[in-house]
Every structure is written in structure tokens, then in C-alpha cells.
Amino acid sequence: MAKYGEGDKRWIVEERADGTNVHNWHWAERDCLEWSRARLSSLLAGLTILDGEGGLSLRTVALDKLDGEAYVNIRKGKVIPGYELSLTLSWEAEAASESGAAKVTGTAEVPYLADENADEDPDLRVTVRGDETPLALRAKDAFLSRGKPMVLEKIREFVAAMAKGGPAKDELDSKKTPTKVAGSAPAKEAVLAPAPAVEKKKAKGKDKEGFKTIEMTEKFYCRSKDIYEILMDENRWKGFTQSNARISREVGGEFSLFDGSITGVNEELQEGKLIAQKWRFGSWPDGLYSSVRLVFDEPESGVTIIKLKQTDVPEEDKYGNSTVVENTERGWRELIFQRIRGVFGFGI
């Protein structure tokens, strides 16, 4: 028995150099709000509800708003999800008329989505932005009859994913795979033997083993040159991130973001069109860089679409933590793109 005040070192998670909660023996809570934002956005944005049927086109546009909390609690492989969310989804409709194409927009709101009602479909409220013209009412009715079942089906997919562990699912699945133990000692944690390295040829269009690709498309209400300038200006970076930044505006020049947490080198720069960089977190294995490409498109004046593609993102950092891809994607969305919209007024 351990002496009072000392504890048994086998159960003191803090004693590990990487701070890992071994086998989730203790309760581990994972914040899933940003994962939920990304998952719901991918499920709900860009759904085609009507494709010209009856002269009407109707589709969802984007997840405009997600508020509330979402998390999963895990202990010894047992998942207990918890979430209370409200969300707003934008939609648009278009119909041909004698004077040309007429458009109308609106929102679909789910005021309460919670784990306590996981076996029930949530309430869905559909509204029109602006006057309720004949086209607007027609589009609203079409959304209720055709779009509502589609949206609720996608929400059921989200609920099922949360029940399986949300962003922690891959981690839980890996723990179920039998792993040989190389030796053991009394009162010490068993050490997992590393799997033998197997060299595999990278298939065309697929990630290398142990690496992932992040892709996202973001919309801003500004000129492409304006947001390009923000992303390449260290003083504006300091402003919207509230952290130190150092950015070279030259090809081959280096950059450092978020107080040095992210570093890299500019590979290709085209003002208002392209930023290509070698990019890494300080917690990644030494010498390992991902490739980032930000492509800027301005389909109409005052509207810019940024397509981000980041390849060769490691699944684990040098401490063995397996949330690298999730945290990197969340950082782009929450700490960069959303803050730019909020600070500079480029949002919807």
C-alpha cells in the first residue's frame, strides 16, 4: 500500500512524460464542439433538395451557426456522449421567370438537439429571409416536404457518430486491436511493442500510411486580395490571433505563427490567388513538414472562396497523441478563418 500523500505511481497519470491517460482508466472528457461543427457542416452544407423539378432549384448552402456544448466521456472503452446544441442552416432557391432567374433565401433552424432526445428527431423550423413572395412560400413548402427529411437523416448520422465516440472513435477502435506486450515489470506500465515497419507504395490519390489530408472550402465576403493581405501580414495576424507572428512575404522566406507553435517556409505566392507553404507544428516529429495550399477564387466581386488543402499531416505527434489531424482542422476553422470573419467583418 502506498504511503499517505504519495499515491501509487501506477495510477498517477501525471508521472508520464507525455501526460497520457493510460487506457482511459480515469474518466477522460473530450470536447467535441468543433468536431461537431465540422461534422454537421460536412453533412448538411451543399445538399441538393430540388434540381430543377417543376422549374425550381433548391439546396442548402452552409451551416451558419452552431451554439451549445458537445463532449464525450470515456472510461475503459465506455462512451458516454453529451451534447446540447442549436444550429442554423442557410438555404437558397432559384426559379426561372419572365424577367429572368428569381432567387430567394432562407434558414432552417434546429433550436434543440440533445443527447437526452437521441432517439427522437429534433424540431426543425424553416423560415424565409425577406418578403414571403409566392416563390418564397413555394420554396419554403418544398423545403418542408423534401428538404426536412434529408436534413433529419443527416442529423441522425451525426447522433450515431457521437454515440460511437465522435472524434475519439478511431482512438477507441485502436485500443480494441490486440497488441503484443514486450515484457512487463511489477508496479510499472506495460510497454507496447512497436509494429514492424512495412514499406508501402503510395497509391495514387491516397494518403501515405500514418498521414492524412485536410481539405476545406471557406466563403468570405471580401475581395480576394484583401484576405490574402491579411494572411500575409504579420501585424494583422497578431491582431486577430492575439499572439506573436513573424511572416516573410518572399518565396523561400520563413514564417512563425501563434508564438512559434507553427513554423514553415513560403514555396509559392501569387497575390490574391495562391499561398503555398511547407508548414509544421512544433510538437510534430522533428523535420516533418506538411504541404499547405490556399487557393483564392473570386466568383463575383466582393465574394471570395478559399480552398484549403493540407497534405502529409501526421496522425500522431512526437508524444504519441492521436488528435493531430482533428486539432489542425479545428485550428484552421476556429482560430483562423472564423476569427478573420469576426474581426474584419467578412462573415455572413
Side-chain angles (χ1 to χ4, degrees):
M1 180 180 294
K3 295 180 180 179
Y4 177 78
E6 291 183 0
D8 188 331
K9 292 183 178 180
R10 289 173 295 178
W11 310 111
I12 301 177
V13 176
E14 291 80 358
E15 289 300 311
R16 285 180 57 105
D18 57 4
T20 300
N21 185 357
V22 183
H23 304 310
N24 288 316
W25 180 270
H26 305 278
W27 281 105
E29 182 171 297
R30 177 77 63 83
D31 184 359
C32 300
L33 183 58
E34 290 311 313
W35 177 88
S36 299
R37 191 188 311 280
R39 186 61 179 264
L40 285 166
S41 181
S42 67
L43 288 170
L44 297 173
L47 294 176
T48 299
I49 299 170
L50 291 175
D51 192 13
E53 295 141 84
L56 182 65
S57 297
L58 176 61
R59 71 181 189 93
T60 62
V61 179
L63 181 67
D64 289 353
K65 187 178 180 181
L66 181 71
D67 291 326
E69 63 175 357
Y71 56 87
V72 290
N73 282 321
I74 305 169
R75 184 175 186 268
K76 296 188 71 176
K78 182 180 179 181
V79 177
I80 302 178
Y83 51 92
E84 290 187 4
L85 301 168
S86 64
L87 63 92
T88 302
L89 180 68
S90 58
W91 56 265
E92 64 181 15
E94 183 175 336
S97 66
E98 296 179 357
S99 58
K103 293 184 179 181
V104 64
T105 61
T107 61
E109 180 187 3
V110 176
Y112 188 67
L113 175 64
D115 59 280
E116 64 182 2
N117 300 323
D119 57 344
E120 302 174 6
D121 285 333
D123 184 28
L124 181 70
R125 303 171 184 174
V126 180
T127 59
V128 174
R129 289 173 176 158
D131 297 333
E132 292 195 340
T133 62
L135 172 59
L137 293 175
R138 181 184 170 200
K140 179 180 178 181
D141 290 342
F143 197 102
L144 286 168
S145 62
R146 299 284 293 274
K148 182 177 179 179
M150 295 174 65
V151 170
L152 292 178
E153 176 61 31
K154 296 298 183 182
I155 289 176
R156 285 193 287 271
E157 290 184 31
F158 166 78
V159 170
M162 281 292 291
K164 293 178 180 178
K169 180 180 181 299
D170 291 341
E171 180 183 339
L172 289 167
D173 289 345
S174 68
K175 285 178 169 45
K176 295 176 184 177
T177 304
T179 308
K180 291 184 179 180
V181 177
S184 60
K188 290 186 179 180
E189 177 192 335
V191 179
L192 297 180
V198 179
E199 186 175 348
K200 291 186 178 181
K201 185 177 180 180
K202 183 179 178 182
K204 184 177 180 181
K206 294 191 176 181
D207 294 316
K208 295 184 295 186
E209 185 175 359
F211 296 85
K212 294 292 185 182
T213 294
I214 295 172
E215 294 185 80
M216 63 179 70
T217 300
E218 298 288 327
K219 186 176 183 180
F220 300 85
Y221 286 93
C222 64
R223 301 299 301 271
S224 62
K225 64 179 183 180
D226 294 333
I227 194 164
Y228 175 94
E229 183 66 24
I230 289 171
L231 291 170
M232 294 302 298
D233 186 334
E234 62 185 44
N235 289 321
R236 296 185 190 183
W237 263 92
K238 293 174 184 177
F240 76 80
T241 66
Q242 295 297 295
S243 63
N244 290 322
R246 179 177 53 81
I247 302 174
S248 169
R249 301 173 68 95
E250 303 294 329
V251 173
E254 298 180 349
F255 62 87
S256 171
L257 310 171
F258 293 102
D259 296 319
S261 295
I262 296 171
T263 56
V265 179
N266 297 326
E267 290 195 306
E268 187 177 355
L269 300 172
Q270 298 177 31
E271 185 175 358
K273 295 182 179 180
L274 173 68
I275 297 174
Q277 299 170 325
K278 287 295 184 185
W279 192 103
R280 64 171 274 113
F281 270 110
S283 59
W284 290 4
D286 295 341
L288 187 64
Y289 283 83
S290 66
S291 294
V292 168
R293 288 182 67 86
L294 293 160
V295 179
F296 301 75
D297 181 35
E298 193 171 337
E300 58 183 287
S301 180
V303 176
T304 297
I305 305 295
I306 294 182
K307 291 185 177 180
L308 163 71
K309 185 173 184 179
Q310 184 171 6
T311 58
D312 296 331
V313 179
E315 293 181 329
E316 292 188 353
D317 63 17
K318 60 186 177 183
Y319 305 111
N321 297 314
S322 59
T323 57
V324 174
V325 177
E326 172 196 343
N327 290 340
T328 303
E329 184 172 2
R330 180 179 63 186
W332 278 110
R333 197 179 303 278
E334 180 182 1
L335 301 181
I336 298 177
F337 293 141
Q338 287 183 13
R339 287 194 180 182
I340 287 175
R341 289 191 183 96
V343 171
F344 298 99
F346 293 163
I348 296 174

